[in-house]
Amino acid sequence: MTITERIKQLKREKDAVILAHYYVRPEIQDIADYIGDSFYLSRTAASLPNRTIVYCGVSFMGESARLLCPDRDVLMPDICADCPMAHMVTKGEVDAVRDQYGDLAVVCYINSTAEIKSWSDVSVTSANAVKIVRNLPNKNILFIPDKNLGRHIAGQVPEKNVITVRGYCPVHEHISADEIMQQKEAHPEAEVLAHPECTQAVLNKADYIGSTSGIISYAVKSQKKEFIIATESGVLHELKKQNPDKEFYFPATEPICNDMKLITLEKVLHVLQTGENQASVSAETADRAAATLTRMLDLA
Ligand code: 13P
Ligand code: SF4
């Protein structure tokens, strides 16, 4: 029996379902029952009846599934797969801004630890951040931890006072506007599709800015045949699947999230066999963090 066949057999035996983000390896995307962006995956996790969820992604994703599905087994193929940005704000920074403004909403990117979510009023993903911030009753918004997404939201919702901190995704921060322009010179007809975790210099070159799912559906709908992609290169697998006749180019320095690439077929098989690597959230933070996430699902 191949490893894929053993995974499928164990999934049936254990009433398990596999969720995968677009940044994981192609062979993992191929065995997943659901592939998507962070918003789709959290909404899906919350609605699934299965006893076990194998979450092929980084730890904030597993924590979110644990918070939204407290009675299920949520298994992480690699418990060390973590998002560095998810830790890039302190309680002191949040408290200092709360002290300064009476009318403040603390909005956290879903790419944050459960503890950070417990200090926040509502969570957002790149797919719904602008909509949720626009509709909040508060004028003052503290957006944590991603300074790049925060700056993008501030530009889209100028009626709000959006305060940001210093967090960033190292993968998107290192996408260079010059390398995007080099691809544009080589492929002048190509449209530039960028994730809002990129710097302003990159977003200035973009024809479309959106989440990973947004980028994929834009490429499907566009009449153009060529695209320059400013996000992690794992999205290429789904882009090619959905657009076999279109061409996709990445910056010369390929954007790769090493944490997402830690997930392998062997590790998926291992957690299904053993039930190890349960995603966990401390009891002190769970209730508040779950409320922050549930508010996102309600408002999105
Ligand atoms: P989305 O898939 O929600 O756009 O998020 C990108 C990301 O960086 C996830 O870690
Ligand atoms: Fe975190 Fe960036 Fe990796 Fe996404 S791509 S998990 S934001 S480090």
Side-chain angles (χ1 to χ4, degrees):
M1 213 188 274
T2 65
I3 187 160
T4 308
E5 286 163 350
R6 281 158 71 204
I7 289 171
K8 282 189 182 153
Q9 186 186 34
L10 277 168
K11 266 197 331 182
R12 280 193 298 275
E13 283 172 26
K14 308 221 161 168
D15 185 26
V17 68
I18 299 180
L19 268 57
H21 189 268
Y22 289 124
Y23 294 164
V24 298
R25 296 168 186 274
E27 63 272 23
I28 305 292
Q29 296 188 40
D30 287 341
I31 54 147
D33 300 286
Y34 301 93
I35 321 168
D37 68 3
S38 310
F39 179 58
Y40 171 83
L41 291 174
S42 13
R43 207 182 42 187
T44 302
S47 70
L48 287 172
N50 306 75
R51 209 174 66 213
T52 303
I53 294 171
V54 179
Y55 209 132
C56 299
V58 290
S59 49
F60 76 82
M61 297 178 167
E63 284 183 352
S64 299
R66 155 66 54 246
L67 292 165
L68 293 167
C69 325
D71 54 341
R72 244 63 64 72
D73 285 332
V74 179
L75 306 179
M76 303 304 289
D78 191 317
I79 210 87
C80 297
D82 196 8
C83 170
M85 176 167 65
H87 305 266
M88 290 186 188
V89 64
T90 65
K91 180 83 162 53
E93 287 173 283
V94 174
D95 288 345
V97 183
R98 278 212 194 267
D99 287 347
Q100 218 179 324
Y101 294 93
D103 166 43
L104 181 81
V106 179
V107 179
C108 69
Y109 195 17
I110 196 164
N111 298 38
S112 56
T113 62
E115 189 185 1
I116 291 171
K117 289 186 178 80
S118 76
W119 313 327
S120 306
D121 299 304
V122 62
S123 188
V124 298
T125 74
S126 56
N128 56 40
V130 169
K131 177 181 170 190
I132 290 181
V133 168
R134 184 175 287 135
N135 291 332
L136 285 173
N138 315 70
K139 163 105 175 126
N140 300 305
I141 308 289
L142 171 61
F143 187 81
I144 53 176
D146 186 5
K147 65 176 179 183
N148 288 317
L149 180 58
R151 189 204 54 248
H152 173 66
I153 297 167
Q156 299 295 305
V157 191
E159 67 275 23
K160 304 273 183 186
N161 173 34
V162 180
I163 303 148
T164 56
V165 291
R166 293 155 302 160
Y168 61 92
C169 161
V171 179
H172 288 85
E173 179 83 2
H174 291 133
I175 295 178
S176 128
D178 288 347
E179 288 190 359
I180 298 289
M181 285 322 288
Q182 283 160 15
Q183 288 290 29
K184 189 81 188 160
E185 277 155 32
H187 311 283
E189 289 302 311
E191 285 188 299
V192 177
L193 316 185
H195 196 280
E197 289 174 18
C198 292
T199 62
Q200 189 61 50
V202 170
L203 297 190
N204 287 344
K205 314 281 179 217
D207 297 289
Y208 172 81
I209 299 167
S211 75
T212 50
S213 295
I215 287 173
I216 292 162
S217 43
Y218 184 93
V220 169
K221 287 185 207 130
S222 171
Q223 302 298 314
K224 296 275 184 169
K225 293 284 178 210
E226 295 180 300
F227 303 88
I228 298 158
I229 305 296
T231 192
E232 210 272 354
S233 59
V235 295
L236 181 62
H237 191 57
E238 188 68 21
L239 281 167
K240 272 313 245 182
K241 225 193 277 178
Q242 293 204 32
N243 306 277
D245 57 329
K246 298 186 178 178
E247 294 300 328
F248 300 95
Y249 311 106
F250 285 82
T253 311
E254 189 181 343
I256 295 179
C257 177
N258 291 322
D259 283 272
M260 289 283 190
K261 303 308 185 221
L262 287 172
I263 317 301
T264 61
L265 287 176
E266 288 74 15
K267 291 175 188 173
V268 172
L269 178 64
H270 182 77
V271 292
L272 275 167
Q273 283 170 329
T274 61
E276 284 174 8
N277 293 2
Q278 283 276 358
S280 66
V281 174
S282 78
E284 305 91 76
T285 55
D287 285 352
R288 282 208 53 131
T292 299
L293 269 175
T294 309
R295 197 160 176 224
M296 171 184 80
L297 296 182
D298 294 344
L299 296 177

